Amino acid sequence: DPEDSKVKTARVVGYLSSENFSKIKSVQFCKLTHLNIAFANPDKNGNVIFEGDIDTVIQYAKSVNPNIIISISLAGGVLSVEQAANWSLLIDKPENRPNLIQNIINFVHLHRLDGVDVDLEWDAVTVGYSGFIIELKKSLTEHKKILTAALPNNSRFNNINSTALNAFDFINIMSYDSTGPWTPNNPGQHSSFTNAQDGINFWHQLQNVPSEKLNLGVPFYGYNFTYEDVTRSTFGQIVEAAVQFADQDESGKIYYNGRPTIAQKVQFASENAGGIMIWEIAQDSVDEYSLLDVIHKKYTSLKFKTTGLCGN
């Protein structure tokens, strides 16, 4: 049967926050197909501002995995008032877009990047969003670069029209944060398996995005609801406290995804999506309890090619 000989492939997309650049030696880049470096934001004149030594990170990741596809991720879930105002000024006024887009293209060329990921969220998805995305896509395509986005689990912003939605090469579904520090009176799981199913269903069934364009987002962190101030714990910190936590999804009032749940989500993604997305790769456990390792091994056991490296 020729179908059997067709190699099934999947993406494994990891976000790396600039605040974790010091931890890159602990990241298994041989297990990521895509790396999104987060976050860059424009100043009011449309200059792209990024804090951190991006070139060293790119050089290191490519030395480990020469085929890794690296994008700069723009904006982010938490913008300052000033950053949000800059975005609005630059994308809502059509005459400001060409300069911003040219600066983004220049940034991509300067750092030898492969694409751009847009993570404008909620109130930052202003009236000019779709126009900006469509124009950015045109420029990136001319330069043979990719365009992707991080979008919420099961809501579509009003300002994303269908042309803009179709412009993305793939979409990273943020299937986490269903509760957190902003809802301290709602302790519990922020990234359940049901939540993951809902997210894929929303974007595929209700918004008609092809399955292969969807990456299911999984968290490498949890929330601790023990005290009034809800805090974040990395998966690495959770496992450090006690190794048995690696195979659970909660410990006291800390809620996260352990290895079995991550494996279950990979199984689901292998049948209903084009890949897995991770926030955030440097928050993994760096020993035998690594969640990235679970993703890598699960895809390999399902006979999916991801990177083709490190035993895949």
Side-chain angles (χ1 to χ4, degrees), residues 73-268:
S73 192
L74 302 175
V78 183
L79 296 179
S80 69
V81 174
E82 188 187 353
Q83 286 171 328
N86 292 343
W87 274 109
S88 173
L89 171 75
L90 294 165
I91 71 175
D92 295 348
K93 292 198 159 71
E95 64 271 22
N96 290 339
R97 286 181 209 147
N99 176 54
L100 171 63
I101 290 169
Q102 189 55 57
N103 287 338
I104 293 168
I105 298 289
N106 292 347
F107 186 92
V108 166
H109 285 317
L110 177 65
H111 300 291
R112 298 182 182 168
L113 290 158
D114 303 296
V116 174
D117 176 66
V118 179
D119 188 17
L120 285 160
E121 298 180 27
W122 305 104
D123 293 348
V125 180
T126 50
V127 291
Y129 180 93
S130 288
F132 165 65
I133 292 298
I134 293 160
E135 291 169 37
L136 178 59
K137 171 70 174 182
K138 189 171 178 289
S139 283
L140 287 168
T141 304
E142 284 165 10
H143 294 95
K144 297 184 168 54
K145 307 291 182 184
I146 64 168
L147 176 62
T148 66
L151 294 171
N153 191 51
N154 49 5
S155 42
R156 174 169 167 182
F157 305 125
N158 294 334
N159 287 321
I160 305 186
N161 67 30
S162 55
T163 310
L165 190 61
N166 289 332
F168 299 118
D169 290 282
F170 56 79
I171 290 164
N172 298 308
I173 303 172
M174 295 184 278
S175 198
Y176 39 68
D177 291 354
S178 66
T179 185
W182 50 91
T183 45
N185 301 325
N186 186 25
Q189 183 51 254
H190 75 99
S191 186
S192 67
F193 182 69
T194 309
N195 201 47
Q197 291 174 301
D198 289 347
I200 296 290
N201 183 54
F202 175 82
W203 287 103
H204 179 55
Q205 304 292 346
L206 302 180
Q207 303 302 325
N208 301 310
V209 179
S211 303
E212 63 272 14
K213 272 194 173 191
L214 298 173
N215 296 330
L216 175 62
V218 297
F220 280 15
Y221 64 92
Y223 288 117
N224 184 347
F225 287 88
T226 308
Y227 307 105
E228 209 172 332
D229 275 344
V230 179
T231 55
R232 188 185 274 240
S233 304
T234 69
F235 183 71
Q237 289 167 333
I238 291 164
V239 174
E240 238 168 73
V243 292
Q244 69 265 26
F245 296 154
D247 292 327
Q248 299 168 198
D249 287 335
E250 56 186 271
S251 152
K253 286 194 175 174
I254 304 175
Y255 303 89
Y256 57 97
N257 280 190
R259 294 190 297 180
T261 296
I262 294 290
Q264 185 188 18
K265 287 182 177 181
V266 172
Q267 174 82 49
F268 180 72

Side-chain angles (χ1 to χ4, degrees), residues 8-12 33-34 270 273-276 299 304-307:
K8 294 179 292 188
T9 59
R11 292 180 292 266
V12 180
T33 60
H34 294 68
S270 76
I276 288 280
Y299 268 132
F304 275 74
K305 182 184 180 220
T306 58
T307 60

